[in-house]
Amino acid sequence: MSRLADRTVLITGATGGMGSATVRAMAAEGAHVGVADMGAVLTARLAQEVGGTPLVVDVTSPDSVTAGVNALVAVRGTIDVLVNFAGIVDPRRMDEIEPEAWSRVFDVNVRGTWLMCNAVIPHMPRGGSIVNIGSRAGLVGGTTSGASYAASKAAVICFTKSVAKFAAPLGIRANVINPGCIETPMLDHFAPDVVAAMPGQAALGRLGTPAEIAESVIFLATDASSFMTGAQLNVNGGSHM
Ligand SMILES: NC(=O)c1ccc[n+]([C@@H]2O[C@H](COP(=O)([O-])OP(=O)(O)OC[C@H]3O[C@@H](n4cnc5c(N)ncnc54)[C@H](O)[C@@H]3O)[C@@H](O)[C@H]2O)c1
């Protein structure tokens, strides 16, 4: 089955845990993938592996975002799907965070998502799908995952609804996935006892896998979800219902 044959997909945070699994899953479905992340070596290696286009992009920089999007458009002409995985976490409580650290989390998670959507939408002339990545923390507030992070993900969830309303007349859908605890390098930012307690928070009693998030992205990227826009997909093993 090639659910994404001839589709051009741009994925940010592409060499991270969920990003790399999604790059491989979407390429296996026939997509040409723009592999966008900050590290030149890892993006080049992953793009070569899947026959995609490496894009060294810092999502907080308007110039870098524009250059990355233009580089993919130069190769493929148009873009069909944008997936915004790029994100950082700060696990600290609200009374532990410095103002600069608070802003950095919002710069990457919120401003980066906004810049990417703005830059890609003009290159989706035949319509398309945008998949943003929120978090369960953005629904329930920060406990283990920090106050700034939870607030930033709530902003991503709400911003996605604005994108959905803005882009619907252009034939572009926008939805957000709210993962629960997923086994990726991001969990290295948490204390071992916090990570050990994560599986028990889910009704299914385990962490999620990056492959399970990739499947949800493919669902939202394809016509299988053709009547969904401005929606949230909670992929959390039942840790929040
Ligand atoms: N792992 C979880 O349990 C979990 C749960 C909910 C939501 N999320 C979200 O899922 C997304 C993917 O996270 P992950 O778990 O794969 O983490 P990860 O740390 O493995 O991947 C994040 C990627 O984002 C990239 N990135 C960071 N800043 C960037 C910038 N300025 N420009 C471009 N790329 C940048 C990193 O280089 C990295 O490859 C993130 O938005 C994260 O907040 C993760």
Side-chain angles (χ1 to χ4, degrees):
M1 190 164 47
S2 293
R3 289 178 285 177
L4 293 163
D6 300 327
R7 298 274 133 180
T8 300
V9 177
L10 197 166
I11 300 180
T12 72
T15 64
M18 293 186 213
S20 57
T22 305
V23 167
R24 292 185 176 106
M26 295 185 97
E29 292 288 346
H32 179 98
V33 183
V35 179
D37 210 313
M38 292 202 296
V41 174
L42 289 181
T43 53
R45 192 179 296 159
L46 184 56
Q48 186 178 29
E49 177 192 319
V50 301
T53 300
L55 307 167
V56 180
V57 172
D58 176 351
V59 299
T60 67
S61 158
D63 289 347
S64 176
V65 164
T66 302
V69 171
N70 286 346
L72 183 59
V73 170
V75 175
R76 298 287 296 177
T78 57
I79 297 172
D80 301 295
V81 178
L82 168 65
V83 188
N84 285 308
F85 275 115
I88 58 172
V89 72
D90 184 334
R92 293 178 294 171
R93 299 188 322 228
M94 61 179 281
D95 59 348
E96 300 171 327
I97 303 168
E98 308 84 10
E100 299 72 24
W102 178 281
S103 298
R104 179 70 190 158
V105 166
F106 270 72
D107 266 0
V108 178
N109 296 358
V110 188
R111 188 168 180 266
T113 300
W114 164 64
L115 286 172
M116 286 302 308
C117 291
N118 258 353
V120 168
I121 284 171
H123 300 288
M124 292 179 148
R126 49 183 191 185
S129 173
I130 294 173
V131 183
N132 290 333
I133 306 298
S135 173
R136 182 182 70 112
L139 299 172
V140 302
T143 47
T144 56
S145 48
S148 59
Y149 179 76
S152 76
K153 291 301 189 177
V156 170
I157 292 167
C158 190
F159 173 63
T160 304
K161 298 175 188 180
S162 297
V163 181
K165 291 174 184 173
F166 172 80
L170 307 171
I172 299 167
R173 299 182 295 111
N175 295 287
V176 61
I177 293 174
N178 295 324
C181 295
I182 311 296
E183 204 162 3
T184 76
M186 189 167 272
L187 298 193
D188 297 345
H189 294 273
F190 297 94
D193 59 317
V194 172
V195 176
M198 286 177 177
Q201 295 169 1
L204 294 180
R206 64 174 177 85
L207 299 177
T209 66
E212 289 171 318
I213 298 300
E215 264 308 311
S216 300
V217 172
I218 290 172
F219 167 67
L220 290 176
T222 62
D223 283 348
S225 59
S226 54
F227 200 47
M228 289 177 68
T229 197
Q232 302 177 47
L233 209 50
N234 296 330
V235 186
N236 63 26
S239 57
H240 172 69
M241 301 185 191

